[in-house]
Amino acid sequence: MHNNSIPYPLITTDKLRYADTDRQGHINNALFSTFLETGRVEILYNPRIIELSNDAEFVIAHLSIQFMNEILWPGSIETGTSIKKIGTSSIIFEQAIYQMQKQCASAETVIVQISKTTRQPLPLDNKKIDELKKYLKQKQPE
């Protein structure tokens, strides 16, 4: 069951494993990137949302994570995912990780669609852009 107070258009859940813990007994910071990936791939590699051409793939150009609170085992986390901006060949994602309604991290990721052949940026087509617009983050009332 998802927390309705998480202000993102997509919410994914990951179960925490004992093997994810580190020497301090909390979830290793390296796993935060994996949790963020779960949210992004729900959009980028879901054929009901985006159909990739045979020559297109997505790569990370930039990832910035702000760690706010530790995540503790056992349990699960929820990752909120939205799109901040859609460029010619890039997508900027805004995400946040929560455990028991407490925000543990925020992140911004720049993803670029590239050609598998040339390894150069490949413009997003209008159909993809229209599907991605459904995940644009809504302005919160002040």
Side-chain angles (χ1 to χ4, degrees):
M1 184 167 177
H2 296 305
N3 178 356
N4 292 335
S5 67
I6 297 176
Y8 289 85
L10 176 69
I11 300 170
T12 52
T13 302
D14 278 295
K15 181 179 169 125
L16 303 173
R17 302 168 302 169
Y18 176 75
D20 297 337
T21 60
D22 60 18
R23 290 182 68 171
Q24 288 78 32
H26 58 246
I27 300 302
N28 191 301
N29 289 350
L31 271 291
F32 284 58
S33 180
T34 301
F35 301 147
L36 297 166
E37 178 184 64
T38 298
R40 291 190 311 270
V41 300
E42 285 284 324
I43 296 172
L44 296 175
Y45 291 103
N46 183 335
R48 290 175 298 172
I49 299 170
I50 291 184
E51 281 186 46
L52 280 178
S53 71
N54 288 337
D55 189 44
E57 67 184 3
F58 293 109
V59 295
I60 294 177
H62 177 81
L63 171 61
S64 173
I65 303 173
Q66 180 180 354
F67 299 99
M68 304 158 116
N69 289 293
E70 63 187 355
I71 297 175
L72 300 172
W73 177 86
S76 63
I77 59 93
E78 293 178 304
T79 301
T81 301
S82 67
I83 294 175
K84 179 179 179 179
K85 183 179 177 193
I86 302 168
T88 303
S89 59
S90 64
I91 307 158
I92 300 175
F93 283 90
E94 279 187 353
Q95 295 178 282
I97 300 171
Y98 297 84
Q99 186 178 41
M100 299 187 321
Q101 291 126 30
K102 183 177 184 181
Q103 189 172 349
C104 300
S106 63
E108 186 171 286
T109 309
V110 178
I111 300 288
V112 178
Q113 179 177 257
I114 65 167
S115 163
K116 291 179 186 176
T117 308
T118 67
R119 309 307 290 169
Q120 296 300 309
L122 185 65
L124 297 161
D125 63 44
N126 289 335
K127 184 178 177 187
K128 280 183 191 157
I129 291 170
D130 287 344
E131 289 300 316
L132 291 168
K133 283 181 180 177
K134 296 175 185 175
Y135 296 93
L136 285 170
K137 187 160 188 182
Q138 302 301 313
K139 298 261 189 253
Q140 297 301 311
E142 296 187 24

